[in-house]
Amino acid sequence: MKILIIEDDKYISAFLRVSLEKEDYEVLVGKDATEGMFLFSSYHPDIVLLDLGLPDRDGGEVIREIRQMSETPVIVVSSRSQEAEKVAALDAGAIDYVTKPFHMGELLARIRVMERLLIKLTLSHPEEEQFVCDWLTVDFEKRRVLVDGQEVHLTPYEYKLLCIMIRNRGKVLTYNYIIKELYGYESGGAEGVRVFMSNLRRKIEKDLTQPRFILTEVGIGYRWNDQ
Ligand code: CA
């Protein structure tokens, strides 16, 4: 499990690094948003620990940038303890929030929760073995997605979203339903779902102006069409 720390306070990042390495995590440290994003796109960490008060950019912007690219869980580790700051970070797409000063034991417990979630996402699949329709094949056994016989890579959240849609094919799924299925609890807004859905569409649809599989139900959510 690879963890990226984006933190400008070198004492905190050194403490985090040592504590995490002791638990056998692989650790990368970026001292500001620019270096953090560079490490993020170069090394694809599994989890990001993010400070909000960074010298070059606000952490909230970093969360949004990460969300544009992937579903990697971001845990905010910040001294900003205002409720509004927490809500803003969660709305931007952070998955959890730890206030400084923090107990390493608590942070490690939250990281383990994320790990379990990531493993569950990787393993979860509907009961059927395969879904085949037109150009799309989803092999749930092997967890492979093929478009015209060519394998496409989906992130864990995209794959889970695809499974949720196929399992409920034909039904209109509300944003709230999808959020709950995807994360296991109700959190944040529909923004994350929209991002994952548009990534998923880009990967499996041929005509984005007239999607074959993922239909938008305006103002409500989405429906999987296999008719
Ligand atoms: Ca800081």
Side-chain angles (χ1 to χ4, degrees), residues 175-189:
Y175 285 113
N176 280 341
Y177 178 86
I178 296 170
I179 289 166
K180 207 157 169 231
E181 288 290 300
L182 200 57
Y183 302 113
Y185 54 88
E186 283 169 58
S187 82

Side-chain angles (χ1 to χ4, degrees), residues 75-158:
I75 302 177
V76 169
V77 183
S78 174
S79 51
R80 298 181 191 170
S81 56
Q82 299 269 328
E83 201 62 34
E85 304 264 19
K86 291 188 189 180
V87 171
L90 294 170
D91 276 347
I95 205 157
D96 205 349
Y97 199 107
V98 178
T99 306
K100 288 176 192 164
F102 55 90
H103 290 286
M104 198 57 209
E106 184 194 348
L107 182 58
L108 287 172
R110 290 179 189 227
I111 289 171
R112 284 195 296 272
V113 169
M114 288 310 127
E115 264 185 285
R116 283 198 294 271
L117 176 71
L118 289 171
I119 290 165
K120 224 171 95 190
L121 285 175
T122 315
L123 295 178
S124 64
H125 60 77
E127 270 113 58
E128 59 198 324
E129 284 178 10
Q130 266 203 345
F131 171 85
V132 184
C133 188
D134 284 1
W135 59 80
L136 181 69
T137 301
V138 182
D139 186 331
F140 300 113
E141 289 264 292
K142 299 199 181 101
R143 201 195 169 289
R144 271 155 54 96
V145 179
L146 308 167
V147 170
D148 284 331
Q150 297 283 346
E151 183 158 9
V152 291
H153 174 74
L154 299 187
T155 65
Y157 274 130
E158 288 161 9

Side-chain angles (χ1 to χ4, degrees), residues 157-169:
Y157 274 130
E158 288 161 9
Y159 180 73
K160 186 163 187 198
L161 193 54
L162 179 69
C163 293
I164 294 167
M165 299 291 296
I166 292 177
R167 201 167 56 218
N168 294 286
R169 67 188 78 153

Side-chain angles (χ1 to χ4, degrees), residues 7-9 51-54 100:
E7 166 68 76
D8 60 323
D9 183 322
D51 177 28
L52 291 182
L54 295 167
K100 288 176 192 164

